[in-house]
């Protein structure tokens, strides 16, 4: 494509640009009054794009959203250079709507996942080696330890001495990919030395390329006291 640097008027374009803009052909596009400047979804994108061109002389991989003739929007990746002695921009554009929409959906799903994990009524923790590489706020609440303390602690210290051997044996088996009980009960030792009964379930995962366990801990302290 080729557009006037100041007005955004389209001076030349190929068939692909015509279809991206919503026209049936290049001839139809070129005979219209289509102005690129008026079709940026965000007018600041146009200002940023031309600003960089005027200062640097070229732009590589600029991403912006455009409105087609029919009102639909497309994401375009643009690379262009400024031909100063002619006063116009020459460049190429690529429709990346599929990639951008997929990225948006991924970000939205990650945000929903984060909210679910962080507001869960069960503690969620990823154990790797002898430490915890991830845990949600509920585990901080359950144990009474500060976040930084939990990040640096040997997680075996969180387990009651009478339950440690059993819990660590199952942890090592799970890390090795061996079969072990998916759900069992144990006692946590809180920061103030009080005891909290939890029901724990876990599964083997890969975290940053290394085996780890994803663990869910449900507070059953009230249930245990009622049983007693």
């Amino acid at each position: 494509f080729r557009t006037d640097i100041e007005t955004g008027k389209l001076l030349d374009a190929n068939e692909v640009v015509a279809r991206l803009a919503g026209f049936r052909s290049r001839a139809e596009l070129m005979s219209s009054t289509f102005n690129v400047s008026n079709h940026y979804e965000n007018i600041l994108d146009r200002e940023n794009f031309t600003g960089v061109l005027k200062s640097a002389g070229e732009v590589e991989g600029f991403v912006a959203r455009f409105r087609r003739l029919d009102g639909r929007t497309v994401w375009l990746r643009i690379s262009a250079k400024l031909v100063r002695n002619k006063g116009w921009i020459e460049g190429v554009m690529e429709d990346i709507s599929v990639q951008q929409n997929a990225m948006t959906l991924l970000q939205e799903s990650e945000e929903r996942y984060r909210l679910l994990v962080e507001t869960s009524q069960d503690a969620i923790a990823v154990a790797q080696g002898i430490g915890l590489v991830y845990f949600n706020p509920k585990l901080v609440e359950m144990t009474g330890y500060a976040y930084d303390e939990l990040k640096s602690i040997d997680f075996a210290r969180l387990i009651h001495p009478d339950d440690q051997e059993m819990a660590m044996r199952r942890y090592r088996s799970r890390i090795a990919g061996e079969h072990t009980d998916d759900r069992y009960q144990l006692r946590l030792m809180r920061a103030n030395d009080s005891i909290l009964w939890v029901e724990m379930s876990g599964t083997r995962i890969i975290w940053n390329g290394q085996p780890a366990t994803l663990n869910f801990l449900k507070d059953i302290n009230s249930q245990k006291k009622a049983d007693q």
Side-chain angles (χ1 to χ4, degrees):
F1 68 89
R2 179 182 291 164
T3 59
D4 185 275
I5 183 65
E6 298 300 337
T7 66
K9 179 182 178 182
L10 192 65
L11 304 176
D12 199 2
N14 68 355
E15 292 287 348
V16 175
V17 173
R19 290 195 297 272
L20 285 175
F23 291 88
R24 288 172 294 183
S25 66
R26 175 185 176 277
E28 185 180 39
L29 169 63
M30 297 312 301
S31 63
S32 73
T33 57
F34 187 83
N35 188 305
V36 176
S37 297
N38 299 332
H39 287 264
Y40 278 82
E41 186 75 4
N42 183 349
I43 191 62
L44 293 178
D45 285 339
R46 164 70 180 175
E47 295 176 9
N48 291 337
F49 179 66
T50 55
V52 173
L53 271 174
K54 288 177 179 179
S55 62
E58 61 182 351
V59 171
E60 185 74 27
F62 185 87
V63 175
R65 198 173 186 180
F66 286 80
R67 280 180 288 103
R68 288 163 40 98
L69 199 61
D70 56 11
R72 290 166 49 207
T73 58
V74 291
W75 285 96
L76 299 179
R77 180 161 52 216
I78 307 168
S79 296
K81 64 178 181 179
L82 172 61
V83 184
R84 295 186 188 275
N85 63 334
K86 299 289 187 180
W88 65 48
I89 302 166
E90 290 180 345
V92 294
M93 61 177 64
E94 175 189 7
D95 184 354
I96 58 168
S97 299
V98 172
Q99 298 96 308
Q100 285 295 123
N101 291 336
M103 185 65 69
T104 299
L105 288 173
L106 178 61
Q107 290 169 345
E108 289 175 352
S109 66
E110 287 179 344
E111 177 64 14
R112 285 195 294 270
Y113 169 77
R114 185 187 66 80
L115 288 172
L116 284 171
V117 169
E118 292 191 356
T119 60
S120 171
Q121 291 305 299
D122 291 345
I124 301 173
V126 177
Q128 191 174 63
I130 63 170
L132 299 176
V133 293
Y134 171 81
F135 48 85
N136 68 345
K138 188 65 177 181
L139 187 67
V140 176
E141 177 189 328
M142 273 188 179
T143 62
Y145 283 96
Y147 177 86
D148 289 340
E149 289 179 296
L150 280 178
K151 285 291 286 185
S152 59
I153 201 170
D154 178 342
F155 69 80
R157 285 178 49 196
L158 300 174
I159 305 171
H160 190 283
D162 292 345
D163 297 332
Q164 276 186 17
E165 193 278 330
M166 174 271 295
M168 296 307 294
R169 184 180 68 251
R170 292 182 178 184
Y171 169 69
R172 288 190 292 268
S173 294
R174 185 167 286 124
I175 284 287
E178 300 169 359
H179 174 73
T180 186
D181 293 339
D182 292 332
R183 191 180 300 271
Y184 55 94
Q185 296 177 359
L186 57 78
R187 288 161 288 184
L188 291 184
M189 296 300 300
R190 306 186 74 244
N192 62 4
D193 290 330
S194 62
I195 294 173
L196 182 74
W197 275 96
V198 297
E199 183 178 78
M200 181 164 166
S201 59
T203 186
R204 184 180 188 272
I205 63 170
I206 298 298
W207 184 276
N208 290 334
Q210 297 296 323
T213 62
L214 172 62
N215 307 281
F216 299 85
L217 295 86
K218 182 179 182 64
D219 182 345
I220 59 169
N221 218 45
S222 297
Q223 177 188 328
K224 275 291 181 180
K225 287 181 178 179
D227 289 345
Q228 290 168 3

